[in-house]
Amino acid sequence: MATKTQEVEAKGGQSRHRSLGLSDDQALRIYEVMRLARAIDERMWLINRQGRAPFVISCQGQEGAQVGTAAALRPGHDWVAPYYRDAGVILWFGMTAKDQMLSFFARREDPNSGGRQMPGHFGSRRLHIVTGGSPVATQLLHAAGVALASKQRQEDAVTAAYFGEGGASQGDCHEAMNFAGIHKLGVIFVCENNGYAISVPQSRQMAIQNLADRAAGYGFPGVVVDGNDVLACYEVAGQAVERARRGEGPTLIEAKTYRFTAHSSDDDDKRYRQAEEVAIWRQKDPIQRYAKYLRESTTLTDPVEKEITERVDQQVDEATEYAEQAPDPTPDDLMTFVYKQGTVS
Amino acid sequence: MPQKTVIEAIREGMDEEMARDPSVFLIGEDVGQRGGVFLASDGLYKKYGEYRVIDSPLAESCIVGVAIGAAINGMRPIAEIQFADFIAPAMNQIIEEAARFCYRTAGDFNLPMVIRAPWGGGVHGALYHSQSIEATFAHIPGLKVVAPGTPADAKGLLKAAVRDPDPVLFLEHKRTYRLVKGEVPDGDGVVPIGKADVKREGKDLSLIAYGLMLTYCLEVAEKLAADGISAEVLDLRTIKPIDQAAIVATAKKTGKVLVVHEDTRFAGIAAEVMAIIMEHAFDALDAPLMRLTGPDVPAMPFNHVLEEAFMPNVDRILAKAKELAAY
């Protein structure tokens, strides 16, 4: 079994997406979902700063790692257990701008939680998106359990579990990888390593450079990938998914990336990182980088870019308008669904 | 009807549910080849194989977290915590995750899963093999907490727990495992969650208990009868949701209530039972509500003198009941 950590280098020149088996339409679809995730997030910040909604937590900067890995899965068949930044993942799995905005405004119609949870706490049984809470890394064990059920029923569904490098410090991360390794479960563990857990840098989170090195200790491969290179993320995720579907067990993917915003709308990142550092990473924006590639490969043209921009803007505008006017829950809603059947007993 | 022990009834309950429904499986430490440290799953590994009776790593959060994941994906896991005392590493998964899934998704997700845990003292188990955990978990909305005291109730409530759509903490008093024998009906014999049971009718006073204390209270009632005192014994069976109607009914019937548990006193189940009676049966009371409980010390010591000093027993319950009767 290969357990050595690999570092995947981008390669392939102007037809990389085709060499990965992606059609031009699929490559553009990935681009559009990245753009949509970014546009929704930017709109949320605007509305938050205008005082019209209390809280934002962002995907910005991590869309490449998110959409690239999710695009290797089969929505509706496979499962994801996202963490709170994974707007790109859940949009790929079928959530919409409207769903996102209903959650942002905490409306009754919010499909994730009926306005009960903060934004970023995604969940949909129908879409195979495992509901998340706020304590980190708990979802990694849930992903192992979802994959165990697939194995018990001899189904080939793959489960992708997402987390940050901060979450990797939790005991549940170890317990999940250990269990998944023992039973060769069909899980891919995707760490979006953005360098900071709120303010604490990676160097105070772990003594190693690459989290992926830990995979060897669980008996499965670990891969480091440039998280701002969406096609590289797609490639390594594709290999991990194939391995999982063959019943050969988990893979740990460490996508090195960066968050452009503060931890949340209530954080001030100037207290712990330099503006220069943020500026350097903004030069590596996964969306701009991918757009550049798509243009160079003549997949993205001006008219197509214009269409995409119009579609994204329209979705965000309509979603915002709809959600802001959508009704709040009623006080009676406080008491429902403590248990599956009806109200508080 | 055949006489069985509590542990036999639990084993039979699991076996029958696993035979009935292929989505039911067991996961826990030593539950496989070993059959569990108390032999609750003896023979099941051989019968159902390694993916229906899973020997977990020695990690309680893993046991519960994986069970949650399996329940998300169509299975009905029974997660065994080897001793209730070791449940603490899984509390994040139980409280923040399992108990909140349905509420935090407005009913989109629900978790049909059982967490079995042997609890209670009187077995020289010391601080970490004797604890009572029911009050801690009964405080958490979204969980159901069950604590049967007889073989028939253990089997019937286990079946109800496995079939329930929500997470159920199923507490098995380890002293009762082989001590308490009783008739267990053939067939399903499902006992509904949330229903207390009058185990002995009486008119002068009420003893309310669960788990091992039920057995002690029944003995006490027998002794009281010899003194001409008629004691009713109400077995809560389910701690949460608690059977308020049954508690109020017995309080109104006898006007005198003693609540007994071995869990520590402060904010214990007795306090909740007494509050229910004060709210709904105050006018019917002929004496102050009384409780006999374990003391507010961290847990039960190993030394037998200290263990006996901790545990409520028949003599102490009898003395307290006589005090109540004489009021």
Side-chain angles (χ1 to χ4, degrees):
Chain A
M1 181 191 300
T3 56
K4 192 173 170 294
T5 302
Q6 305 167 347
E7 299 225 20
V8 174
E9 292 297 326
K11 51 183 180 295
Q14 288 197 352
S15 60
R16 278 178 71 205
H17 69 276
R18 289 185 210 109
S19 69
L20 295 172
L22 289 168
S23 68
D24 288 359
D25 282 350
Q26 288 169 320
L28 288 170
R29 172 79 189 133
I30 287 172
Y31 178 65
E32 184 162 342
V33 171
M34 292 169 72
R35 288 275 315 271
L36 181 62
R38 176 72 59 90
I40 293 167
D41 203 89
E42 287 174 344
R43 182 67 59 87
M44 286 176 177
W45 276 93
L46 193 73
I47 292 168
N48 171 265
R49 288 320 194 219
Q50 290 171 341
R52 288 151 62 197
F55 186 76
V56 193
I57 196 145
S58 284
C59 61
Q60 289 188 45
Q62 300 179 207
E63 297 93 339
Q66 293 169 2
V67 182
T69 52
L73 298 159
R74 284 161 57 190
H77 178 73
D78 295 331
W79 286 81
V80 288
Y83 90 119
Y84 50 82
R85 297 202 188 282
D86 283 321
V89 174
I90 57 101
L91 289 170
W92 188 267
F93 258 61
M95 286 231 174
T96 64
K98 186 170 132 184
D99 297 336
Q100 278 278 68
M101 283 298 174
L102 285 164
S103 163
F104 176 59
F105 286 107
R107 299 310 191 207
R108 188 173 201 275
E109 207 185 322
D110 158 31
N112 300 281
S113 78
R116 288 172 175 188
Q117 294 222 76
M118 295 171 106
H121 294 60
F122 311 109
S124 167
R125 180 185 285 274
R126 178 177 63 85
L127 298 175
H128 283 197
I129 298 168
V130 175
T131 168
S134 300
V136 299
T138 49
Q139 77 276 12
L140 304 185
L141 280 167
H142 304 164
V146 169
L148 174 68
S150 296
K151 178 158 187 160
Q152 287 169 315
R153 291 196 302 263
Q154 298 179 309
E155 296 166 355
D156 74 348
V158 173
T159 305
Y162 291 82
F163 59 111
E165 85 289 348
S169 296
Q170 289 279 355
D172 277 4
C173 179
H174 160 68
E175 294 188 23
M177 290 184 187
N178 187 43
F179 189 83
I182 290 167
H183 293 288
K184 289 188 162 48
L185 299 179
V187 183
I188 63 173
F189 294 102
V190 181
C191 177
E192 295 171 40
N193 182 348
N194 63 21
Y196 293 88
I198 303 190
S199 68
V200 177
Q202 182 183 337
S203 63
R204 289 291 172 270
Q205 204 69 238
M206 62 190 82
I208 53 177
Q209 290 295 313
N210 295 326
L211 179 81
D213 289 347
R214 289 190 194 164
Y218 302 112
F220 53 79
V223 185
V224 177
V225 64
D226 179 347
N228 288 23
D229 181 344
V230 63
L231 291 178
C233 292
Y234 175 78
E235 182 176 6
V236 298
Q239 290 163 356
V241 168
E242 278 175 32
R243 184 182 138 79
R245 251 193 251 295
R246 287 195 303 266
E248 293 170 18
T251 303
L252 169 57
I253 295 170
E254 179 184 10
K256 306 272 197 193
T257 186
Y258 199 78
R259 72 170 140 81
F260 291 167
T261 67
H263 165 69
S264 75
S265 52
D266 295 333
D267 178 35
D268 175 9
D269 61 334
K270 291 192 287 295
R271 294 177 71 92
Y272 54 83
R273 62 182 191 181
Q274 301 294 317
E276 293 76 20
E277 182 184 293
V278 181
I280 288 167
W281 275 93
R282 281 199 179 268
Q283 296 302 311
K284 307 179 198 172
D285 185 331
I287 297 179
Q288 288 175 22
R289 217 168 127 183
Y290 189 40
K292 183 166 177 283
Y293 161 79
L294 289 172
R295 285 179 178 281
E296 285 170 2
S297 67
T298 67
T299 314
L300 184 64
T301 58
D302 284 343
V304 173
E305 177 89 60
K306 188 164 174 285
E307 280 173 34
I308 289 173
T309 302
E310 281 171 5
R311 272 200 301 272
V312 166
D313 288 349
Q314 188 185 353
Q315 286 174 73
V316 176
D317 287 344
E318 286 177 4
T320 305
E321 192 176 344
Y322 180 90
E324 193 160 21
Q325 290 171 11
D328 281 323
T330 68
D332 288 344
D333 289 322
L334 178 70
M335 304 306 287
T336 59
F337 298 116
V338 176
Y339 299 98
K340 181 63 179 173
Q341 291 162 334
T343 56
V344 181
S345 50
Chain B
M1 285 191 288
Q3 288 271 331
K4 293 191 173 110
T5 62
V6 170
I7 195 83
E8 286 166 346
I10 288 167
R11 187 185 308 133
E12 224 175 69
M14 285 199 289
D15 190 1
E16 288 175 17
E17 288 305 287
M18 290 178 74
R20 182 188 61 81
D21 181 350
S23 68
V24 178
F25 74 97
L26 176 66
I27 181 168
E29 295 156 7
D30 303 296
V31 300
Q33 200 81 42
R34 175 69 175 80
V37 294
F38 293 100
L39 300 180
S41 54
D42 190 28
L44 299 184
Y45 180 82
K46 202 170 172 189
K47 185 168 176 184
Y48 296 102
E50 63 173 337
Y51 278 99
R52 304 257 333 256
V53 183
I54 301 174
D55 270 325
S56 73
L58 214 169
E60 287 76 14
S61 189
C62 175
I63 295 168
V64 175
V66 164
I68 289 170
I72 289 168
N73 193 4
M75 302 299 281
R76 288 184 175 266
I78 302 172
E80 180 178 308
I81 301 294
Q82 195 162 79
F83 287 82
D85 315 61
F86 304 145
I87 206 167
M91 283 183 82
N92 194 38
Q93 285 289 351
I94 297 171
I95 294 173
E96 298 296 341
E97 300 295 332
R100 313 249 193 268
F101 254 56
C102 190
Y103 192 77
R104 81 184 188 201
T105 62
D108 187 25
F109 283 81
N110 65 291
L111 295 174
M113 59 183 285
V114 183
I115 302 168
R116 292 180 39 242
W119 67 290
V123 296
H124 311 299
L127 269 61
Y128 295 104
H129 300 77
S130 302
Q131 291 173 33
S132 301
I133 60 169
E134 64 272 22
T136 303
F137 287 94
H139 191 69
I140 308 302
L143 286 181
K144 296 172 182 173
V145 183
V146 172
T150 69
D153 286 344
K155 183 175 174 185
L157 277 163
L158 182 62
K159 290 191 164 221
V162 168
R163 299 174 193 189
D164 199 88
D166 296 305
V168 179
L169 179 62
F170 189 87
L171 298 173
E172 304 163 4
H173 199 292
K174 66 179 86 70
R175 180 89 175 94
T176 69
Y177 269 156
R178 289 173 176 81
L179 175 77
V180 180
K181 296 184 179 67
E183 292 184 339
V184 177
D186 289 324
D188 256 356
V190 173
V191 174
I193 291 172
K195 291 284 174 217
D197 187 37
V198 176
K199 287 288 196 288
R200 182 186 173 114
E201 297 268 359
K203 58 180 178 48
D204 297 330
L205 61 85
S206 301
L207 303 172
I208 301 181
Y210 52 91
L212 176 65
M213 293 301 126
L214 168 70
T215 295
Y216 289 0
C217 284
L218 287 168
E219 267 186 69
V220 167
E222 199 62 38
K223 289 179 189 288
L224 288 170
D227 286 349
I229 300 166
S230 166
E232 178 147 300
V233 179
L234 180 68
D235 178 8
L236 288 180
R237 300 196 292 191
T238 296
I239 307 292
K240 180 97 171 269
I242 204 161
D243 189 345
Q244 185 171 303
I247 292 167
V248 171
T250 193
K252 285 185 173 173
K253 181 178 176 187
T254 66
K256 293 182 176 183
V257 178
L258 169 61
V259 193
V260 183
H261 59 63
E262 68 181 86
D263 195 0
T264 52
R265 187 180 188 85
F266 185 86
I269 300 305
E272 186 61 35
V273 170
M274 292 158 95
I276 287 168
I277 294 169
M278 290 305 290
E279 285 171 340
H280 301 285
F282 176 74
D283 290 344
L285 293 180
D286 295 324
L289 296 167
M290 292 186 184
R291 57 180 159 165
L292 186 69
T293 71
D296 284 317
V297 301
M300 200 174 301
F302 187 45
N303 176 278
H304 72 99
V305 173
L306 298 176
E307 183 183 69
E308 282 159 24
F310 184 105
M311 288 285 282
N313 58 29
V314 170
D315 288 345
R316 271 185 223 139
I317 300 168
L318 183 63
K320 196 75 180 170
K322 283 182 174 173
E323 180 191 334
L324 179 61
Y327 187 88

